[in-house]
Amino acid sequence: MPTKIAYTPYDGSAKPFTIGLSQLDFEKWIEPDDQLGLYLDLKRQILEADHDGAFQAEAGTEDAQQEVLSLLSEYLPRFHGGQYQRSGDAMHMAGRTVDLKDGAMPALIRAGLLIQDDLVIMRRKPDGWHFSAGFVAFPSSWSVQEKFGQAMEGIHAQVPGFEGGTRNAELINRMFDKLAADRMVTRLNWSIKGNGNLPQPISKHIDDDPATASAEAMKNFVRVERQTLRRLPRSGDILFTIRVYADPITAIAQQPDAAKLFQSMADLLADMTTEQLAYKGLLTTVREPLRLFLLQQAQKAA
């Protein structure tokens, strides 16, 4: 059976390194699929192996964490009743159970163990929006400990075009300030990695990252992040969800619009600056062999 790719943000419809937000219906907030159990098991394994590496929270965020848990506990059985069943204080999904009232576990961890997405709470402080709590099992070349506590400008310091003082940085802060509780927005991000591991905690700014894309193009994976943002009605904080997909680059050939996808990715790579390539996890020496591979695949699929 052909591999179905959920999202293809490299299809040429959006330019990389733009904010690229679009409106999202509330019923489409979370998208569990048949890999739910695998993600949940891996999250528990990561927590057991490195709890503080996956979860950090500032004092005073407890109510906001509980707010996230309450929203998900209400949403999941309502909109995904085929996968989620609530029985009292227990939520059952994919053969796993989470005790929603387990006081020994922070509420944000309980929330994160319900879904495939990672969760980050951003809080407004006098100098901007800060990463105030997060349960992130599947980071893309960063870690919770690296970003925790930082303001938006620090979080995006290495993103080309989003550094502090740039127009994009100002627009993001303004968007966070104005995001209403009755609106939800979403965006997609993509990169190319040398393996399909869901957790990629090694910073892209460290040499010899084992996930760096390979010049042997067929070995690579396209890593896509589906991100959503919503304001928490009670706390006023912003909840940021991140769902990671890792698709073999060869799976593009199985899509109905394969020729277009291969061609558009090749074109996007050709237009990227050295800084943008590095942020996407690509060495400059990898760009040309990868681009040629994509062009060859586009011709085969045409």
Side-chain angles (χ1 to χ4, degrees):
M1 181 179 295
T3 300
K4 178 71 171 69
I5 296 179
Y7 293 101
T8 56
Y10 42 85
D11 63 3
S13 61
K15 187 177 179 181
F17 298 95
T18 57
I19 297 174
L21 292 172
S22 58
Q23 299 297 316
L24 181 67
D25 293 336
F26 275 75
E27 61 265 28
K28 297 179 180 179
W29 180 27
I30 304 296
E31 297 184 340
D33 58 24
D34 59 3
Q35 297 295 302
L36 176 61
L38 182 151
Y39 278 68
L40 297 183
D41 288 348
L42 188 51
K43 281 190 174 188
R44 287 187 179 273
Q45 293 169 21
I46 290 167
L47 269 176
E48 291 175 5
D50 186 11
H51 180 280
D52 292 347
F55 172 78
Q56 292 286 327
E58 294 178 350
T61 61
E62 291 81 8
D63 287 348
Q65 293 183 50
Q66 182 61 48
E67 189 174 1
V68 174
L69 178 60
S70 297
L71 287 170
L72 283 169
S73 299
E74 295 169 5
Y75 168 88
L76 293 168
R78 178 182 178 188
F79 291 102
H80 299 288
Q83 291 166 288
Y84 290 87
Q85 297 81 43
R86 181 168 180 174
S87 176
D89 292 329
M91 186 74 77
H92 307 284
M93 60 277 153
R96 288 81 175 163
T97 299
V98 171
D99 181 353
L100 301 174
K101 296 291 187 179
D102 183 359
M105 185 182 293
L108 196 64
I109 291 183
R110 279 175 271 156
L113 291 176
L114 297 174
I115 57 176
Q116 289 158 276
D117 309 56
D118 286 327
L119 300 169
V120 173
I121 294 174
M122 302 293 295
R123 174 161 289 182
R124 191 67 161 94
K125 298 185 180 182
D127 62 339
W129 289 89
H130 285 247
F131 185 143
S132 294
F135 175 22
V136 182
F138 311 131
S140 297
S141 299
W142 59 278
S143 69
V144 170
Q145 290 172 316
E146 179 185 351
K147 302 294 186 182
F148 175 64
Q150 291 194 42
M152 192 76 71
E153 288 77 6
I155 294 170
H156 289 151
Q158 304 297 330
V159 184
F162 286 77
E163 304 91 337
T166 62
R167 182 172 183 273
N168 280 331
E170 294 174 2
L171 287 174
I172 290 176
N173 275 304
R174 195 179 310 160
M175 183 274 294
F176 271 44
D177 286 339
K178 293 183 177 180
L179 184 62
D182 62 353
R183 289 181 59 219
M184 189 181 299
V185 294
T186 184
R187 68 184 299 271
L188 297 170
N189 192 22
W190 66 277
S191 57
I192 297 176
K193 296 292 185 181
N195 63 54
N197 296 343
L198 290 174
Q200 302 275 6
I202 298 179
S203 173
K204 61 175 61 70
H205 312 299
I206 296 176
D207 293 336
D208 300 324
D209 179 357
T212 297
S214 172
E216 297 181 63
M218 292 182 67
K219 293 183 177 181
N220 290 317
F221 285 73
V222 183
R223 186 178 178 90
V224 173
E225 291 183 354
R226 176 186 181 264
Q227 305 169 354
T228 75
L229 295 112
R230 65 180 296 178
R231 184 178 297 279
L232 300 176
R234 292 201 303 270
S235 67
D237 296 334
I238 299 290
L239 176 65
F240 183 44
T241 73
I242 311 163
R243 168 67 192 280
V244 171
Y245 299 84
D247 303 307
I249 200 167
T250 52
I252 296 175
Q254 302 173 32
Q255 309 313 303
D257 53 350
K260 174 189 173 184
L261 293 175
F262 280 124
Q263 182 67 55
S264 62
M265 185 183 285
D267 293 342
L268 290 170
L269 290 177
D271 291 339
M272 285 184 191
T273 66
T274 300
E275 292 76 20
Q276 290 173 338
L277 284 171
Y279 191 80
K280 291 289 186 187
L282 286 162
L283 300 173
T284 53
T285 54
V286 169
R287 170 166 41 189
E288 194 57 19
L290 179 56
R291 194 181 70 84
L292 291 175
F293 165 80
L294 295 169
L295 292 174
Q296 292 167 357
Q297 296 302 305
Q299 292 177 348
K300 288 181 181 179

Short mmCIF file of all heavy atoms in Angstrom, two decimals, residues 38-66:
data_model
loop_
_atom_site.label_atom_id
_atom_site.label_comp_id
_atom_site.label_asym_id
_atom_site.label_seq_id
_atom_site.Cartn_x
_atom_site.Cartn_y
_atom_site.Cartn_z
N LEU A 38 2.25 4.23 19.13
CA LEU A 38 3.71 4.29 19.00
C LEU A 38 4.24 5.59 19.58
O LEU A 38 5.23 5.59 20.33
CB LEU A 38 4.08 4.17 17.51
CG LEU A 38 5.56 4.16 17.14
CD1 LEU A 38 5.75 3.36 15.83
CD2 LEU A 38 6.11 5.57 16.94
N TYR A 39 3.62 6.71 19.26
CA TYR A 39 4.06 8.01 19.76
C TYR A 39 3.95 8.06 21.29
O TYR A 39 4.85 8.55 21.98
CB TYR A 39 3.21 9.13 19.17
CG TYR A 39 3.61 9.61 17.79
CD1 TYR A 39 3.46 8.79 16.67
CD2 TYR A 39 4.09 10.89 17.58
CE1 TYR A 39 3.78 9.22 15.40
CE2 TYR A 39 4.42 11.35 16.31
CZ TYR A 39 4.27 10.50 15.23
OH TYR A 39 4.60 10.95 13.96
N LEU A 40 2.82 7.58 21.83
CA LEU A 40 2.61 7.64 23.27
C LEU A 40 3.62 6.79 24.03
O LEU A 40 4.12 7.19 25.08
CB LEU A 40 1.18 7.20 23.61
CG LEU A 40 0.06 8.06 23.03
CD1 LEU A 40 -1.30 7.54 23.50
CD2 LEU A 40 0.22 9.52 23.40
N ASP A 41 3.91 5.60 23.51
CA ASP A 41 4.90 4.74 24.16
C ASP A 41 6.27 5.39 24.14
O ASP A 41 7.01 5.34 25.14
CB ASP A 41 4.96 3.38 23.46
CG ASP A 41 3.73 2.53 23.73
OD1 ASP A 41 2.96 2.88 24.64
OD2 ASP A 41 3.55 1.51 23.03
N LEU A 42 6.62 6.01 23.02
CA LEU A 42 7.92 6.65 22.90
C LEU A 42 8.02 7.84 23.85
O LEU A 42 9.07 8.09 24.46
CB LEU A 42 8.16 7.08 21.46
CG LEU A 42 9.56 7.61 21.11
CD1 LEU A 42 10.65 6.64 21.58
CD2 LEU A 42 9.68 7.85 19.60
N LYS A 43 6.93 8.58 24.01
CA LYS A 43 6.93 9.69 24.95
C LYS A 43 7.22 9.21 26.37
O LYS A 43 8.02 9.82 27.09
CB LYS A 43 5.58 10.42 24.93
CG LYS A 43 5.38 11.37 23.76
CD LYS A 43 4.12 12.20 23.97
CE LYS A 43 3.97 13.26 22.89
NZ LYS A 43 2.86 14.19 23.18
N ARG A 44 6.60 8.12 26.78
CA ARG A 44 6.84 7.59 28.12
C ARG A 44 8.29 7.13 28.28
O ARG A 44 8.91 7.35 29.33
CB ARG A 44 5.88 6.44 28.41
CG ARG A 44 4.45 6.89 28.65
CD ARG A 44 3.56 5.75 29.11
NE ARG A 44 2.20 6.20 29.36
CZ ARG A 44 1.77 6.69 30.51
NH1 ARG A 44 2.61 6.80 31.53
NH2 ARG A 44 0.50 7.07 30.67
N GLN A 45 8.83 6.50 27.26
CA GLN A 45 10.22 6.06 27.31
C GLN A 45 11.17 7.24 27.45
O GLN A 45 12.13 7.21 28.23
CB GLN A 45 10.56 5.27 26.05
CG GLN A 45 9.85 3.94 25.92
CD GLN A 45 10.01 3.32 24.54
OE1 GLN A 45 10.95 3.66 23.80
NE2 GLN A 45 9.10 2.43 24.18
N ILE A 46 10.90 8.32 26.72
CA ILE A 46 11.74 9.51 26.78
C ILE A 46 11.66 10.16 28.15
O ILE A 46 12.66 10.59 28.72
CB ILE A 46 11.35 10.49 25.65
CG1 ILE A 46 11.77 9.91 24.29
CG2 ILE A 46 11.97 11.86 25.87
CD1 ILE A 46 11.18 10.62 23.11
N LEU A 47 10.47 10.23 28.71
CA LEU A 47 10.30 10.78 30.06
C LEU A 47 11.08 9.98 31.09
O LEU A 47 11.72 10.55 31.98
CB LEU A 47 8.82 10.78 30.43
CG LEU A 47 8.00 12.02 30.10
CD1 LEU A 47 6.54 11.78 30.48
CD2 LEU A 47 8.52 13.26 30.81
N GLU A 48 11.01 8.66 30.99
CA GLU A 48 11.71 7.81 31.95
C GLU A 48 13.22 7.96 31.82
O GLU A 48 13.95 7.95 32.81
CB GLU A 48 11.30 6.35 31.75
CG GLU A 48 9.86 6.07 32.15
CD GLU A 48 9.44 4.65 31.82
OE1 GLU A 48 10.31 3.86 31.37
OE2 GLU A 48 8.25 4.32 32.01
N ALA A 49 13.70 8.13 30.59
CA ALA A 49 15.14 8.23 30.35
C ALA A 49 15.70 9.60 30.69
O ALA A 49 16.84 9.72 31.17
CB ALA A 49 15.45 7.89 28.89
N ASP A 50 14.93 10.66 30.45
CA ASP A 50 15.43 12.03 30.66
C ASP A 50 14.26 12.96 30.92
O ASP A 50 13.89 13.78 30.08
CB ASP A 50 16.22 12.48 29.42
CG ASP A 50 16.91 13.83 29.62
OD1 ASP A 50 16.95 14.31 30.76
OD2 ASP A 50 17.39 14.40 28.62
N HIS A 51 13.70 12.85 32.11
CA HIS A 51 12.51 13.63 32.46
C HIS A 51 12.73 15.13 32.29
O HIS A 51 11.94 15.82 31.64
CB HIS A 51 12.13 13.32 33.92
CG HIS A 51 10.92 14.05 34.41
ND1 HIS A 51 10.97 15.37 34.84
CD2 HIS A 51 9.63 13.67 34.54
CE1 HIS A 51 9.77 15.76 35.20
NE2 HIS A 51 8.93 14.75 35.05
N ASP A 52 13.83 15.65 32.85
CA ASP A 52 14.08 17.09 32.79
C ASP A 52 14.46 17.56 31.40
O ASP A 52 14.35 18.75 31.09
CB ASP A 52 15.19 17.47 33.78
CG ASP A 52 14.75 17.29 35.23
OD1 ASP A 52 13.54 17.11 35.46
OD2 ASP A 52 15.61 17.33 36.12
N GLY A 53 14.91 16.64 30.56
CA GLY A 53 15.22 17.00 29.18
C GLY A 53 13.98 17.13 28.32
O GLY A 53 14.01 17.77 27.28
N ALA A 54 12.87 16.54 28.77
CA ALA A 54 11.62 16.59 28.01
C ALA A 54 10.60 17.55 28.61
O ALA A 54 9.71 18.03 27.90
CB ALA A 54 11.00 15.20 27.92
N PHE A 55 10.72 17.82 29.92
CA PHE A 55 9.71 18.64 30.59
C PHE A 55 10.37 19.68 31.49
O PHE A 55 11.26 19.36 32.28
CB PHE A 55 8.78 17.78 31.44
CG PHE A 55 7.84 18.59 32.29
CD1 PHE A 55 6.72 19.18 31.74
CD2 PHE A 55 8.09 18.78 33.65
CE1 PHE A 55 5.85 19.94 32.52
CE2 PHE A 55 7.23 19.54 34.44
CZ PHE A 55 6.10 20.11 33.87
N GLN A 56 9.92 20.92 31.34
CA GLN A 56 10.33 22.01 32.22
C GLN A 56 9.13 22.92 32.40
O GLN A 56 8.33 23.12 31.48
CB GLN A 56 11.49 22.82 31.62
CG GLN A 56 12.81 22.08 31.53
CD GLN A 56 13.49 21.92 32.88
OE1 GLN A 56 13.37 22.78 33.75
NE2 GLN A 56 14.19 20.80 33.06
N ALA A 57 9.00 23.50 33.59
CA ALA A 57 7.89 24.42 33.85
C ALA A 57 8.27 25.41 34.93
O ALA A 57 8.87 25.04 35.94
CB ALA A 57 6.65 23.65 34.27
N GLU A 58 7.93 26.66 34.70
CA GLU A 58 8.14 27.69 35.71
C GLU A 58 7.09 27.55 36.81
O GLU A 58 5.95 27.13 36.56
CB GLU A 58 8.02 29.08 35.09
CG GLU A 58 9.11 29.41 34.09
CD GLU A 58 8.92 30.78 33.47
OE1 GLU A 58 7.83 31.38 33.68
OE2 GLU A 58 9.84 31.25 32.77
N ALA A 59 7.46 27.91 38.03
CA ALA A 59 6.49 28.00 39.11
C ALA A 59 5.42 29.01 38.72
O ALA A 59 5.72 30.06 38.13
CB ALA A 59 7.18 28.41 40.41
N GLY A 60 4.19 28.70 39.03
CA GLY A 60 3.10 29.60 38.69
C GLY A 60 2.39 29.24 37.40
O GLY A 60 1.41 29.89 37.03
N THR A 61 2.87 28.21 36.69
CA THR A 61 2.20 27.78 35.46
C THR A 61 1.26 26.61 35.69
O THR A 61 0.68 26.08 34.74
CB THR A 61 3.23 27.38 34.38
OG1 THR A 61 4.03 26.28 34.86
CG2 THR A 61 4.13 28.55 34.01
N GLU A 62 1.10 26.19 36.94
CA GLU A 62 0.30 25.00 37.23
C GLU A 62 -1.14 25.14 36.74
O GLU A 62 -1.71 24.18 36.17
CB GLU A 62 0.33 24.70 38.74
CG GLU A 62 1.67 24.25 39.26
CD GLU A 62 2.64 25.40 39.52
OE1 GLU A 62 2.21 26.59 39.43
OE2 GLU A 62 3.81 25.13 39.83
N ASP A 63 -1.75 26.30 36.95
CA ASP A 63 -3.13 26.48 36.51
C ASP A 63 -3.24 26.43 34.99
O ASP A 63 -4.21 25.88 34.45
CB ASP A 63 -3.68 27.81 37.04
CG ASP A 63 -3.96 27.79 38.54
OD1 ASP A 63 -3.96 26.68 39.12
OD2 ASP A 63 -4.18 28.87 39.12
N ALA A 64 -2.29 27.01 34.30
CA ALA A 64 -2.30 26.98 32.84
C ALA A 64 -2.11 25.54 32.33
O ALA A 64 -2.75 25.13 31.35
CB ALA A 64 -1.20 27.88 32.28
N GLN A 65 -1.24 24.79 32.99
CA GLN A 65 -1.07 23.38 32.62
C GLN A 65 -2.38 22.62 32.78
O GLN A 65 -2.76 21.83 31.91
CB GLN A 65 0.00 22.74 33.49
CG GLN A 65 1.41 23.26 33.27
CD GLN A 65 2.40 22.50 34.14
OE1 GLN A 65 2.43 21.27 34.16
NE2 GLN A 65 3.23 23.24 34.87
N GLN A 66 -3.07 22.86 33.90
CA GLN A 66 -4.35 22.20 34.13
C GLN A 66 -5.38 22.62 33.09
O GLN A 66 -6.21 21.81 32.66
CB GLN A 66 -4.85 22.52 35.54
CG GLN A 66 -6.16 21.83 35.91
CD GLN A 66 -6.05 20.31 35.88
OE1 GLN A 66 -5.10 19.73 36.42
NE2 GLN A 66 -7.01 19.66 35.23
#
